[in-house]
Amino acid sequence: MAAVVLASLVLGPAPATPITYVRGGDLYVSTGSVEKRITTGGGFSRPRYAPGGGQLAVIRNGQLWTLKPDGTAARRITTRPATGPSWSPDGKWLAFASTSCTGGPGVYRVAASGVSKPEVLFPRDCRGEDLPDETAPEPVTGALADRLRVDDAVAWSPDGKQIAFRGGECDAVYDACLSIGTIASGAERMVAAYGGGSLQNRGFAVIPSWRPDGTRLAWTAYQEGETAAENEPVHVVELDLTTGRKRTIGVPMDRELTYLDANRALVTAQSTTGSCVTLVDLRTGARTPLHPGSQATAR
């Protein structure tokens, strides 16, 4: 898979639905052609609209906050270091990743109202254990693949029963993996793995996203194979959860997919001028660059 970088950035018409994204560490929102900056000071990442669009969850300087879609009424939900939040379908809970009792990445949930103590969901064996100290991880710098490799964004399934996340029980066998965990039982299902076992490759699968009907899961992937021919730069993979078939969406260097519906998605693409929020037609592959920025979420 050869890397493809857009030679220029010619912006197209944006969807009428509000889209929030990150540029220079702050949040911007667009509705059609109208764009507005809604935060200042930087440090913002991974915005996610609540069901109904009345709130945004966001990571701010390594902690979980909520705010209104216009940037007002910001409120810290927990002091525990957090990454990659996701709303429950009923809007009552927020899932996020933080260090677990094992020392590896774990998944927690906390009431979106911020009035409850975070509760461990995964690993299952950490349920009921004392919460680890609130120690912030060291910031990750370097190349794009190095930064993405440890991105612990999580994704709550549309039916509310499962959460997709980086790592899991499969970490005991593989160097990197992606799991789907069932909340009620704590059982996990591995959907992607790199290195370890019989695999002689290296890579990662991160930043999962569910299609609104719950039948497909997409994520950002990267692979260094046994030979140069097996190398795959950063790209987006989609898994059909019914058939088990996988396909690549978009072009190399696409990442951070979020579905608008069954036929359209937003990705972060790469241009010569930087990252660009791009609309992708999942049926035809047609692409429409929308705004400079990354990590888009749609109401």
Side-chain angles (χ1 to χ4, degrees), residues 164-214:
F165 58 95
R166 182 178 80 91
E169 294 172 349
C170 49
D171 272 340
V173 178
Y174 300 99
D175 297 334
C177 55
L178 184 74
S179 301
I180 296 174
T182 300
I183 296 171
S185 66
E188 298 179 16
R189 169 190 174 187
M190 185 186 74
V191 294
Y194 297 86
S198 61
L199 300 178
Q200 303 301 313
N201 59 4
R202 181 172 180 265
F204 56 78
V206 294
I207 317 173
S209 176
W210 297 85
R211 200 167 82 167
D213 62 8

Side-chain angles (χ1 to χ4, degrees), residues 16-42:
T17 186
I19 298 171
T20 296
Y21 42 95
V22 178
R23 185 190 303 156
D26 278 306
L27 302 181
Y28 290 74
V29 63
S30 71
T31 304
S33 61
V34 179
E35 180 186 77
K36 181 181 179 181
R37 182 177 179 173
I38 62 171
T39 67
T40 59

Side-chain angles (χ1 to χ4, degrees), residues 148-277:
L148 289 172
R149 187 184 306 276
V150 292
D151 194 304
D152 286 331
V154 305
W156 210 311
S157 66
D159 64 6
K161 297 179 180 179
Q162 298 177 304
I163 292 177
F165 58 95
R166 182 178 80 91
E169 294 172 349
C170 49
D171 272 340
V173 178
Y174 300 99
D175 297 334
C177 55
L178 184 74
S179 301
I180 296 174
T182 300
I183 296 171
S185 66
E188 298 179 16
R189 169 190 174 187
M190 185 186 74
V191 294
Y194 297 86
S198 61
L199 300 178
Q200 303 301 313
N201 59 4
R202 181 172 180 265
F204 56 78
V206 294
I207 317 173
S209 176
W210 297 85
R211 200 167 82 167
D213 62 8
T215 63
R216 299 189 182 188
L217 184 75
W219 60 82
T220 299
Y222 171 85
Q223 175 174 290
E224 298 173 16
E226 289 188 74
T227 66
E230 296 174 316
N231 290 346
E232 296 180 342
V234 172
H235 60 289
V236 174
V237 173
E238 182 185 64
L239 169 66
D240 186 318
L241 292 163
T242 302
T243 66
R245 294 174 182 168
K246 294 179 180 179
R247 67 165 179 157
T248 297
I249 290 177
V251 302
M253 300 309 293
D254 282 354
R255 57 196 185 274
E256 303 165 341
L257 180 145
T258 184
Y259 289 94
L260 291 178
D261 51 42
N263 298 318
R264 300 176 303 158
L266 299 171
V267 300
T268 300
Q270 198 69 20
S271 75
T272 54
T273 57
S275 301
C276 177
V277 177

Side-chain angles (χ1 to χ4, degrees), residues 35 79 108-109 118 122 181 230 253 278 280 290:
E35 180 186 77
T79 58
Y108 293 71
R109 72 176 176 185
F122 304 100
E230 296 174 316
M253 300 309 293
T278 299
V280 176
L290 302 179

Side-chain angles (χ1 to χ4, degrees), residues 124-166:
R124 172 176 49 193
D125 290 346
C126 289
R127 296 182 181 186
E129 298 292 322
D130 291 337
L131 298 185
D133 293 338
E134 296 180 358
T135 303
E138 292 295 323
V140 178
T141 59
L144 174 64
D146 295 327
R147 301 194 307 272
L148 289 172
R149 187 184 306 276
V150 292
D151 194 304
D152 286 331
V154 305
W156 210 311
S157 66
D159 64 6
K161 297 179 180 179
Q162 298 177 304
I163 292 177
F165 58 95
R166 182 178 80 91

